[in-house]
């Protein structure tokens, strides 16, 4: 008889990952905003009929922002759990995590501008 523990373990991990993504999207306001922007940009991709390469870059940019924001949220939750009241070092850690989101968001904005600026300018 074949041992299926590896497959079952991966399936459980996937279920936990989907639950985590759902919790992020439904409870964290920053993720809600970024997820909504991702949906709007995806709709724009269909509207402007962007190329396969543009789709790949757009999907990577959206995924990067959401993933880094998720890590930022996890870091903040852990920091708040460990030290609920304000502490200078905890604030420093949270600022660094937030800075990572900023870098990802700026990269995503650059990708969006490169893809959509020429398409929007043609409309006017």
């Amino acid at each position: 008889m074949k041992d299926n523990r590896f497959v079952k373990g991966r399936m459980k991990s996937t279920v936990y990952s989907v639950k985590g993504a759902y919790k992020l999207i439904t409870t964290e306001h920053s993720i809600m905003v970024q997820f909504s922007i991702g949906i709007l940009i995806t709709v724009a991709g269909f509207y402007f009929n962007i190329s396969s390469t543009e789709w790949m870059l757009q999907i990577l940019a959206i995924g990067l922002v959401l993933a880094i924001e998720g890590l930022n949220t996890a870091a903040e939750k852990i920091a708040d759990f460990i030290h609920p009241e304000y502490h200078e070092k905890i604030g420093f850690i949270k600022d660094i995590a937030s800075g990572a989101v900023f870098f990802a968001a700026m990269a995503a904005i650059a990708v969006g501008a490169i893809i959509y600026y020429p398409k929007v300018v043609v409309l006017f």
Side-chain angles (χ1 to χ4, degrees):
M1 181 166 219
K2 187 175 179 182
D3 183 4
N4 290 323
R5 287 184 290 180
F6 178 78
V7 173
K8 286 182 182 177
R10 299 302 59 82
M11 290 173 65
K12 280 185 178 180
S13 294
T14 301
V15 169
Y16 293 137
S17 296
V18 170
K19 285 170 80 174
Y22 180 78
K23 286 178 184 179
L24 273 170
I25 292 169
T26 58
T27 63
E28 297 300 319
H29 293 287
S30 57
I31 288 280
M32 289 176 194
V33 169
Q34 292 161 345
F35 186 75
S36 298
I37 292 169
I39 290 171
L40 290 173
I41 294 300
T42 300
V43 169
F46 286 111
Y47 178 80
F48 288 108
N49 194 30
I50 63 177
S51 72
S52 295
T53 302
E54 291 169 329
W55 272 114
M56 287 186 283
L57 293 170
Q58 179 170 297
I59 290 166
L60 283 170
I62 292 168
L64 176 70
V65 170
L66 293 175
I68 299 296
E69 183 62 55
L71 292 173
N72 176 50
T73 299
E76 287 184 354
K77 298 288 184 191
I78 290 169
D80 290 343
F81 179 76
I82 291 170
H83 209 292
E85 61 277 350
Y86 176 79
H87 189 277
E88 187 177 329
K89 289 184 180 181
I90 294 292
F92 182 77
I93 291 166
K94 291 167 91 173
D95 288 347
I96 289 172
S98 182
V101 176
F102 175 77
F103 287 136
M106 291 300 104
I109 288 169
V111 168
I114 291 166
I115 292 171
Y116 291 106
Y117 180 77
K119 294 166 179 26
V120 172
V121 169
V122 171
L123 294 176
F124 297 103

